[in-house]
Amino acid sequence: AAEKNLTSMMTAMKNLYSSNVHSPANMINIGMLCCVQLGADWFRAEIKQVLSMGHIMVILKDFGNVQLVSSKQIYPLEGSLIGTPFWAVRCGLHNITPTTPTALGNFPKQLNQWFTKYATEAHSYYIAHFIRQSDDRYWIDLHDDKAGAGGEVKPTTTELLVT
């Protein structure tokens, strides 16, 4: 049911913004909620960083992806779209910190590659154990839903990344 609601919202947003009634945003501020056009689709987003040459770093509020877009792709967010809760929840892995903290994190390339492989295995599902909440995110540890070959509990992502 949740996927249907997200799909319905995305379709409504596409219909609303594709009508050519809207114009790109005149002002762009960090933290501003907006609507971003990516190809034929539209997404609710938040401005994270204003870069040079009209490039803007946004986070897609319903998916969690970070995108680099042109200022011409950013539109004011309609009031009817603000009231619907965002689908993505900002999380961080418990006890894992970027080597050079930035707004978007800066982890070593090998760690990103390993985590991408670990988290996207088609046959696996992960259970998020919420450790604590801070002002801007939930701190979690991920647990593989399957037991190891001998029935033992598999290590959490934190245990795998720290060792």
Side-chain angles (χ1 to χ4, degrees), residues 51-68:
L51 306 169
S52 62
M53 311 265 278
H55 289 95
I56 314 295
M57 184 84 58
V58 299
I59 186 164
L60 305 183
K61 298 299 280 184
D62 296 305
F63 295 91
N65 304 40
V66 174
Q67 293 284 145
L68 183 62

Side-chain angles (χ1 to χ4, degrees), residues 3-162:
E3 188 175 313
K4 183 179 178 185
N5 291 336
L6 177 59
T7 302
S8 297
M9 185 192 70
M10 297 292 293
T11 301
M13 200 167 11
K14 184 175 183 174
N15 293 339
L16 178 68
Y17 282 93
S18 296
S19 66
N20 293 325
V21 175
H22 297 83
S23 300
N26 293 327
M27 265 182 36
I28 295 174
N29 298 309
I30 293 174
M32 179 178 104
L33 295 176
C34 58
C35 192
V36 174
Q37 183 179 16
L38 297 172
D41 294 316
W42 295 83
F43 300 87
R44 296 187 300 173
E46 178 184 349
I47 307 294
K48 294 308 280 182
Q49 216 172 1
V50 178
L51 306 169
S52 62
M53 311 265 278
H55 289 95
I56 314 295
M57 184 84 58
V58 299
I59 186 164
L60 305 183
K61 298 299 280 184
D62 296 305
F63 295 91
N65 304 40
V66 174
Q67 293 284 145
L68 183 62
V69 299
S70 159
S71 58
K72 294 175 183 170
Q73 294 171 269
I74 297 176
Y75 290 73
L77 187 62
E78 287 289 321
S80 62
L81 297 169
I82 294 173
T84 305
F86 299 119
W87 290 88
V89 177
R90 186 165 185 199
C91 295
L93 289 174
H94 180 63
N95 287 335
I96 305 296
T97 313
T99 52
T100 309
T102 65
L104 303 173
N106 186 14
F107 292 96
K109 185 177 181 178
Q110 293 113 324
L111 180 59
N112 283 333
Q113 290 170 340
W114 177 88
F115 185 76
T116 298
K117 181 181 182 294
Y118 177 82
T120 58
E121 290 176 351
H123 64 279
S124 295
Y125 294 92
Y126 300 93
I127 299 166
H129 177 161
F130 289 84
I131 307 293
R132 65 183 170 87
Q133 180 181 1
S134 63
D135 291 338
D136 69 337
R137 73 185 72 196
Y138 292 95
W139 293 95
I140 65 169
D141 206 353
L142 295 177
H143 299 264
D144 194 327
D145 71 332
K146 297 180 180 79
E152 74 279 1
V153 175
K154 290 186 177 180
T156 67
T157 51
T158 300
E159 291 167 336
L160 290 168
L161 292 170
V162 172

